[in-house]
Amino acid sequence: MSQTSKSKPTTLPKRPSVFNWRTFWGLLFLASFVWSLHSAGVFEADLINEGGWNLVWRFLVAAVHPDFSPEFLQLTLDATLKTLAYAICGTFFSVLIGLVAGILSSEIWWESVLKTQKTKLITQSPWLVVRGVLAIPRAIHELIWGLFFVNIFGLDPLVAVLAIAIPFGAITAKVFSEILDETPRQPLMALLNSGVPPLNAFIYSLIPQAFLNLLSYAFYRFECSIRSAAVLGIIGAGGLGYQIFLSLQSLRYEQMWTFLIALILLTGATDFWSAMLRRRLGAPSRLDLNVLNLSRRKKPLYQNDPVVKVSFLGTVVLVIFSFWYVQADYSKLYSPRTFQLLAGVFQDALPPDFSQLSQLFELSAKTLAMSILAMAGAGLGGILLSFPAANNFLLSGGIGDLRGNVVLFFTRFLLLVARAVPEPIWALIFLFVLFPGILPGAIALSLHNLGILGRLMAEVVENLEQRPITSLKALGATDSQVFLYGILPRTLPRFVAYILYRWEVCIRSTVIVGLVGAGGLGRLLAEQLSSFDYKGLLTTLIVFLVLTFSVDLISASVRRSLR
């Protein structure tokens, strides 16, 4: 008896629902952006200070004839060397702290140490505790650390070095731990199963595999240290930031432009050297938020490359020179007077004063609004400028070499200037024509982060796999179709991840623009530090830490939903 086979009806794949986490985050962003505009007073009438346009014109005209007198150039060179030395010393300690703390805060380290204990709670608890402890110094901006250490050590170069080393060390530890956790573990497990101690197994297996990733981020952290060293000059640490701030306050714009040119050249030279060396080593990205997506290196580590050798020797010489040039008094770290001052600060700060929570919540809302506006502007501008700033985009898109090179150079120079000028200086410039509030602070943060995001995003475009683009062109796709279907969909998720990462950094940076009149919690923190109101300072720091951790959690949740 024959059986007739009944064909099953084909079922089409179910269309994903419009109401998902991505839609939710998108609508929440639109609502928060409109609220931030309202908080900044954009919908009100009085925003522009008409009397400030004359100062803006004088500032722009002074760019044509900066002060290049020999005496002033000598002062500029000294300030430049001081900024560079602060950055090198701070980076040295932050990488050292980051490597040790990064291992201790990595999950794989504690799994290796406690390999006999299979309980998940036992293996997870230690690294979560270490990461929780590191989150506190990471959330406090280096300028606040600097203001705090000024009260302890006075105007000693040690202040600038510690103010960079402590928060950047905690940030580096977080990134290093994530790199180690996402590095392939098979060689490590083989050594551990052979009876090799965990530290030796790390040194001979995991760290060599992750070395280029760790080195790439160390380069990026050094570039950040240059900018932070300039910012710390505002509190009296010296260097280019201090000289720029003094020149701007005294309206000596010709001198200010000389210092700005020096800062731009220093930042540009650091970027160029970092990019060249990373290409030689086969580590093209400054920062990659998804370590597993860092492709297998096409180039080995060039041990015999003369550029690598000269760079290594030059780094050693610069580190030795920087510590000699800074002349920080490290004996103050363990002097009895320091411990007495610290004990006095803790006694004065405890218990915290929660009597003004309503004001703190209001300032927190303004701080959050400032960061949202800043990152919306920086993110949009960074996306638009990242493509012409990529060295493989315009030239491969059919535009002539000369025209493409001109656009490439101009865009990169624009991004360099935007990120080289410290946020407080941008804020002071915009305060010429804008009334004090969060709007000039948001614009200043937006411009500075635009320069950083645009360069990071350009590297994403430069490191794209070219085979899908070549295939589309071979099929007859136009340049616009190649961009819409072959480039944008592959870069946009990474762009959003970078924007969210910078948002976490930006919420900390609202402190430094608050110092110059941009409002928010930063202004209150500066006032409390200068008046030695440690109870109020501790309360404000607690609120600021809660705000920072909330932004971190939201950012991490959004990044997970976009994967």
Side-chain angles (χ1 to χ4, degrees), residues 35 37 157 177 238 273 294 330:
W35 167 76
L37 289 174
S177 66
W273 170 74
L294 271 175
Y330 294 99

Side-chain angles (χ1 to χ4, degrees), residues 217-329:
Y217 187 76
F219 281 132
Y220 174 73
R221 188 47 53 194
F222 174 58
E223 296 170 19
C224 295
S225 296
I226 293 282
R227 296 189 286 268
S228 294
V231 170
L232 286 167
I234 295 176
I235 63 173
L240 287 171
Y242 178 67
Q243 298 295 342
I244 291 171
F245 188 66
L246 286 181
S247 300
L248 185 59
Q249 282 191 323
S250 58
L251 305 183
R252 297 177 180 176
Y253 300 132
E254 291 80 5
Q255 297 181 358
M256 177 184 172
W257 274 106
T258 306
F259 292 126
L260 282 176
I261 291 171
L263 183 57
I264 291 169
L265 290 176
L266 177 61
T267 306
T270 304
D271 289 356
F272 176 78
W273 170 74
S274 171
M276 178 188 65
L277 188 57
R278 283 184 291 102
R279 281 196 301 269
R280 298 268 180 170
L281 295 173
S285 294
R286 283 176 173 83
L287 174 67
D288 201 305
L289 298 178
N290 187 349
V291 180
L292 291 176
N293 279 344
L294 271 175
S295 59
R296 186 172 297 176
R297 308 297 179 179
K298 297 180 180 179
K299 297 180 181 180
L301 183 63
Y302 285 104
Q303 297 178 349
N304 297 321
D305 193 313
V307 175
V308 175
K309 287 185 175 181
V310 171
S311 297
F312 175 75
L313 292 176
T315 301
V316 174
V317 172
L318 277 176
V319 169
I320 296 173
F321 167 79
S322 298
F323 278 95
W324 169 82
Y325 193 81
V326 165
Q327 294 292 317
D329 186 4

